[in-house]
Amino acid sequence: MPEITPKKLFIETLGCAMNQRDSEHMIAELNREDTYELTDHLNEADLILINTCSVREKPVSKLFSEIGIFNKHRKEGAKIGVCGCTASHLGDEVIRRAPSVDFVLGARNVSRINEVLHRPHAVEVDIDYDESTYAFGEYRNTPLKAMVNITIGCDKSCTYCIVPHTRGEEISIPHALIVREITKAVRNGAREVMLLGQNVNGYGRRFGAGAGEDEPRDFTELLLVISRIDGLERIRFQSPHPLHMDDAFLHEFATNPKICKQIHVPLQSGSTRILRAMKRGYTQENFLERCAKIRQLVPEATISTDVIVGFPGESEEDFEATMEVLEAVRFDQMFSFKYSPRPLTEAAEFTTQVEDAVAGERLRRLQARHNEILDEVMGAQMGRVHRVYFDELKSGGRIAGRADDGKLVFVEGSEELLGQIRDVEITRTSRAALDGRVV
Ligand code: SAH
Ligand code: SF4
Ligand code: F3S
């Protein structure tokens, strides 16, 4: 048999977990037609893919300078493809601005990677395309944990957000496909699944062609179905929307032993007035009530959040309302950003944009206070015992894993701990991670 020389693929993935999963899907699809090997060296790659994020302006402006660098260093005959959310909303403008790009593939069209690869200057960015029942090939970055999409797209219209314009309308994936994919991952060694969607707890509102008669009615029912999968031990999900955190869902979260006690409750702003302008659908009061309910049902749960500061019209008083929520909930993790005006969004047209210096100062204040809270939260972990799933070998004889509540934990150890779930006593704490020893 003639020896096959694999092609080399350089892939850069920006943005959220959905993009990471899309990158896995593209790698799987490419390998259906050819044999690809991943490389970290741009100059040896036959194919260079940039899987872009559009949620804020900065990565988009960096994209074009990056394409210039990639073009300069690419080997003779190598192709460059721009994929993902920025591809979706810029479409053929990518090639007009950067003619060295060979193809553009939208975030909702990743199953068509082999098609665009062979069409010079192809642009495939149809956001109405329904990939919800497409059977992707099999590829995962690690066999130990599986990311599995449960919905595609987003049906909300948060006024700051470009995602509905890059990923199209929300469609739920039939439960049989989800179960099949998780079962396969479990058979290949995964003990944990991360269910992905822009609003996971909006699951079940609309299915595409190929759905059965007996689909779960909502996310809570889907969780019940998934937790019956043999060999699956841990279920995580990302991201739920505060508006759809009904009592039945919180009850399932609290009582189902397979569901990890970590929940993302994206706040965005603590001011009811700003929340209304953002079209988030909840008030400060609703948000606080839901978080209090989570703390009451599962005191050990970690609550993470996303905050945007400097949304158009945000006054000092509005910002103080966000600080109030921070004090009340004491989030275990917070991702905070300065508001960034995005094309195609309503808020970009608002005439009350907040000065950059003001937003920057508020972001610093918010993060400084959050760091103080975090020091206390993490400091209190000293001596506690966490159940940790080890999934990553580190240098210096260390191995890392995640506690049930999502905290990053390091211990001394080697391969034999990989894929194991063990009790770990915490012996050292820092803001970002914990150190401990297996007990
Ligand atoms: N569907 C998820 C969010 C996806 S976008 C949810 O509703 O929580 C991820 C995060 O990026 C958002 O939670 C928000 O905090 C942030 N984000 C979105 N658009 C933004 C913008 N225009 N400027 C700054 N941050 C933004
Ligand atoms: Fe964007 Fe809102 Fe949809 Fe999240 S729910 S992706 S913030 S529009
Ligand atoms: Fe994700 Fe960025 Fe798109 S956050 S959905 S990759 S715009």
Side-chain angles (χ1 to χ4, degrees), residues 125 348 370:
V125 293
H370 170 67

Side-chain angles (χ1 to χ4, degrees), residues 14-16 18-19 52-55 85 162-163 166-167 198:
L14 307 165
C16 62
M18 285 218 145
N19 254 20
T52 57
C53 173
S54 219
V55 83
C85 284
I162 197 171
V163 173
T166 67
R167 292 193 174 263
Q198 290 303 341

Side-chain angles (χ1 to χ4, degrees), residues 389-394 398-402 408-411:
Y389 181 31
F390 291 103
D391 62 0
E392 205 183 337
L393 272 179
K394 297 284 176 184
R398 302 211 307 159
I399 183 163
R402 293 277 168 184
L408 179 62
V409 180
F410 293 89
V411 301

Side-chain angles (χ1 to χ4, degrees), residues 178-218:
I178 298 171
V179 169
R180 195 167 71 200
E181 203 181 331
I182 299 174
T183 307
K184 209 187 305 165
V186 167
R187 224 176 282 137
N188 291 336
R191 298 170 80 173
E192 179 177 308
V193 66
M194 170 69 87
L195 307 174
L196 297 181
Q198 290 303 341
N199 290 297
V200 282
N201 50 351
Y203 180 85
R205 282 185 298 215
R206 187 193 316 122
F207 292 91
E213 301 268 285
D214 58 340
E215 297 300 343
R217 269 173 311 187
D218 57 20

Side-chain angles (χ1 to χ4, degrees), residues 238-249:
Q238 181 179 316
S239 308
H241 193 292
L243 189 61
H244 305 300
M245 291 191 179
D246 56 28
D247 285 346
F249 162 68

